[in-house]
Structures are given as C-alpha cells and as structure tokens.
Amino acid sequence: MTTLLQVENLAAGYGASRVLFDVNLTIREGEVATLLGRNGMGKSTLVKCLCGWLTPTGGRITFAGEDISKAPSHRIGKLGMGLVPEGRQVFPTLTVRENLVATASTANGRAWTMDRVVGLFPRLGERMSQLGGTLSGGEQQMLAIGRALMTNPRLLILDEATEGLAPLVRADIWRALGLLKAEKLAMLVIDKDLKALMPLADHHSGLEKGRVVLHGTSADLQAEQQELRALIGV
C-alpha cells in the first residue's frame, strides 16, 4: 500500500518546553492506526503538528506526497486530512444541515454527501433543522464525524471520539468506524477503549513522555494487555 502519512523524527513543544522527542509514525492508504497514551503524554501536540496548528521544531511530516512540516492548516486540509477534534467543537448556532454544508467538498475524488452521512448516522437525519448546540453529546459527536467526512478526507483523525459518551452511543460510533475501515478510509484513532481498538486497527503506537515506547499490530500486542492498560492509564 502507498504511504499516506510519514512522520519522521518529529520534535515539538511550546516555547522552551519540549513535548515530542523523535516521534515516528507511518500510515498507509486504507490503514487504521491508533495513538495510545495517558493524558499529557503528547498526543494532542502531535495532532496539532499534523494539522498545521503547531510548527515542529525538528523532523519532518509528509502527507499525500508533500512535506507539510511547515504548511498552513488550510493547505493540509485541502490535501485531504480531516479532523474530528477532542470536545466535538460543532458550530452551536448552525443547524445540523448547516454544519454539514459548511465543510462540504468534492476534493480527493470522493463523494461524501449528506445522504451518506445520514446513512452512517441515521439520528442526524432526524435532527437536520436542530441547532448543533442543542444536540446531545452523542449526537454532537456524530455530527463532528459527519462534518469531517464532508471534507472528503484521505486520512481521518479522531481525537477521543468516544470519551464521555453513553455505552450505546459509543457502540454506534465504533460500528461506524468499522464501516469506514471497510471502505478503506485511512484513520488515526486516539482513544482508550482497547476492546474496540484491537479488532479495528492495523497497528498501534504508544506515547510515553513524548516518545514512542510501543509499536505493533493487534496480534503483536495481544499478550501485552497489562502493559497497554498501564500505558493508557486504565
């Protein structure tokens, strides 16, 4: 498979404080990768670097064949990187329909439409005229995923997409991610639900104090459940 995202020896931080140290990560077309780690270990900093919100202090990020290490976020988005941010961040004063229309794109030769998003999350079809800020937490998360899909991404990054949600809603989101994997959409999933992540992901990377301390496939890590739970703090 063609390499879609390549992170090489990435270093980053804030002012004099260094957060990431020589981070390496590869995601190929159609692959699902996870980023594991406790809070404060550098996961969000890595996401900010990938999306162009933070300029790395060292190393290189290549996406869709281009060096995006210092590229602006709008350029990275046009190349096909979609983000479902932590905390959902839907547009609260726009309706569900308007939230989806706001990010609609026909880039990258894909065809995510409102009908397809509603097919993935039927509950959104019942809320089209409702303001984003009045939705339940689970519905807002579905909308955040749908809004990211409307950009027609080549790589979808999901930052804690199931955190704080009811079990039935989490199950619905994991079902949706399984369908996206079947469609060969590359994804980087940041979450702590090992039971759901293991069958979904092709490979996993674990961050500890800004360094990758663990990497492998689900089969490789099956015997290391105790170490994995310690890594993510559960």
Side-chain angles (χ1 to χ4, degrees):
M1 293 183 288
T2 303
T3 296
L4 181 61
L5 175 71
Q6 184 81 54
V7 178
E8 302 172 273
N9 302 317
L10 190 71
Y14 308 93
S17 177
R18 189 169 174 184
V19 178
L20 298 179
F21 301 83
D22 300 320
V23 171
N24 293 281
L25 175 69
T26 300
I27 301 177
R28 297 174 178 83
E29 294 275 7
E31 278 190 337
V32 177
T34 70
L35 191 60
L36 307 173
R38 299 188 303 278
N39 293 340
M41 294 295 107
K43 304 188 303 297
S44 294
T45 299
L46 177 56
V47 170
K48 289 178 182 178
C49 291
L50 296 180
C51 295
W53 298 344
L54 180 66
T55 301
T57 57
R60 180 177 178 177
I61 305 172
T62 306
F63 178 64
E66 292 195 22
D67 186 341
I68 62 167
S69 307
K70 297 182 180 180
S73 57
H74 65 84
R75 173 60 185 160
I76 296 170
K78 286 183 178 180
L79 287 174
M81 189 178 295
L83 174 66
V84 181
E86 185 177 12
R88 300 147 196 160
Q89 300 182 30
V90 300
F91 302 125
T93 60
L94 299 183
T95 66
V96 169
R97 184 184 304 277
E98 289 167 341
N99 266 272
L100 296 174
V101 169
T103 60
S105 170
T106 57
N108 306 314
R110 297 178 184 270
W112 275 98
T113 63
M114 277 195 286
D115 286 342
R116 288 196 67 198
V117 169
V118 170
L120 192 65
F121 295 119
R123 198 178 307 184
L124 293 181
E126 304 167 4
R127 304 284 191 271
M128 278 293 171
S129 299
Q130 191 168 330
L131 295 180
T134 66
L135 300 175
S136 69
E139 290 166 347
Q140 287 190 20
Q141 191 63 73
M142 294 173 189
L143 179 56
I145 296 172
R147 187 180 59 180
L149 290 172
M150 289 291 285
T151 68
N152 286 305
R154 296 181 66 181
L155 172 66
L156 183 64
I157 302 174
L158 300 109
D159 194 353
E160 304 287 2
T162 68
E163 185 177 23
L165 300 180
L168 288 177
V169 178
R170 290 203 304 270
D172 204 21
I173 288 175
W174 288 120
R175 173 198 60 80
L177 297 188
L179 292 174
L180 295 177
K181 178 181 180 177
E183 292 193 9
K184 303 299 183 183
L185 176 61
M187 291 183 281
L188 175 61
V189 184
I190 301 168
D191 208 283
K192 295 183 176 66
D193 190 340
L194 292 176
K195 184 177 180 181
L197 289 173
M198 283 295 167
L200 178 72
D202 296 291
H203 56 86
H204 312 265
S205 297
L207 279 182
E208 180 77 31
K209 296 180 180 179
R211 300 180 188 275
V212 176
V213 296
L214 173 149
H215 182 77
T217 66
S218 294
D220 294 335
L221 303 177
Q222 196 61 46
E224 301 182 37
Q225 293 295 310
Q226 186 173 347
E227 291 84 350
L228 285 172
R229 292 188 179 280
L231 181 71
I232 63 176
V234 298

